[in-house]
Amino acid sequence: MKILVINGPNLNLLGKRKPDMYGHRTPEEVEKFILKYFKEVELKFFQSNSEGEIIDQIQKADAAYDGIAINPGAFTHYSYAIRDAIESIRIPVAEVHLSNIAAREDFRHKSVIAPVCIGSVAGFGAYSYVIGIQALAHLIKRKSE
Ligand code: DQA
């Protein structure tokens, strides 16, 4: 099983960017942390600060992966283009966030991405990715049985 993990804008700055909010791990350390939990799932990581590149990856993933876990960063709150891309593919998508977006500024309370995802996980730091990927893998496996 192959799952693509997509990280959106400013998530390349993990470790330096608001560590009290997003944690002290660098992007490489977050990847290592996630990989520890998955022996049978093949994970590939992609990060971009550009909306178009993220959309290209989502479109391409449909033919190459079984599912996507995405942290769209601030695009979560306003990118109808990323939402449309997710709505256009057949593979399931899980939304993940490091912080609890429901407990933050008002503009972060709304996710335009959530309604086109299988489910969302937020607030558990890097462990949000682990939960999201685990749930996604469970669902993909169940569907193939
Ligand atoms: C985030 C939450 C977003 O509101 C923010 O813009 C991010 C990170 C998170 O993982 O908590 O860039 O997606």
Side-chain angles (χ1 to χ4, degrees):
M1 184 189 307
K2 287 170 75 178
I3 292 180
L4 177 64
V5 182
I6 299 179
N7 277 305
N10 301 306
L11 292 164
N12 55 315
L13 299 179
L14 286 180
K16 291 180 222 148
R17 174 190 179 204
K18 291 169 79 85
D20 290 348
M21 181 63 70
Y22 298 121
H24 292 268
R25 291 188 182 94
T26 63
E28 294 73 29
E29 287 166 347
V30 170
E31 284 182 21
K32 261 194 176 168
F33 172 81
I34 297 167
L35 283 166
K36 274 196 324 209
Y37 289 88
F38 298 97
K39 298 279 169 275
E40 277 150 42
V41 180
E42 196 183 318
L43 294 174
K44 170 124 191 282
F45 294 87
F46 173 81
Q47 189 277 330
S48 177
N49 293 324
S50 139
E51 191 177 27
E53 283 181 11
I54 292 170
I55 292 166
D56 288 343
Q57 285 295 317
I58 293 169
Q59 291 182 2
K60 281 190 211 148
D62 203 20
Y65 290 88
D66 300 299
I68 298 174
I70 186 167
N71 181 347
F75 286 142
T76 303
H77 314 298
Y78 66 92
S79 177
Y80 298 118
I82 291 177
R83 175 188 168 124
D84 283 352
I86 294 172
E87 212 177 14
S88 306
I89 60 171
R90 292 163 308 112
I91 58 171
V93 179
E95 178 191 26
V96 300
H97 296 285
L98 294 151
S99 65
N100 179 2
I101 53 175
R104 298 184 61 195
E105 302 97 314
D106 284 353
F107 77 91
R108 295 187 204 274
H109 294 179
K110 185 168 175 62
S111 167
V112 300
I113 306 299
V116 293
C117 291
I118 291 289
S120 305
V121 184
F124 299 98
Y127 200 67
S128 290
Y129 290 84
V130 177
I131 302 168
I133 296 163
Q134 261 164 2
L136 200 55
H138 173 78
L139 197 113
I140 294 163
K141 200 165 165 237
R142 216 183 54 194
K143 273 195 179 163
S144 74
E145 282 165 0

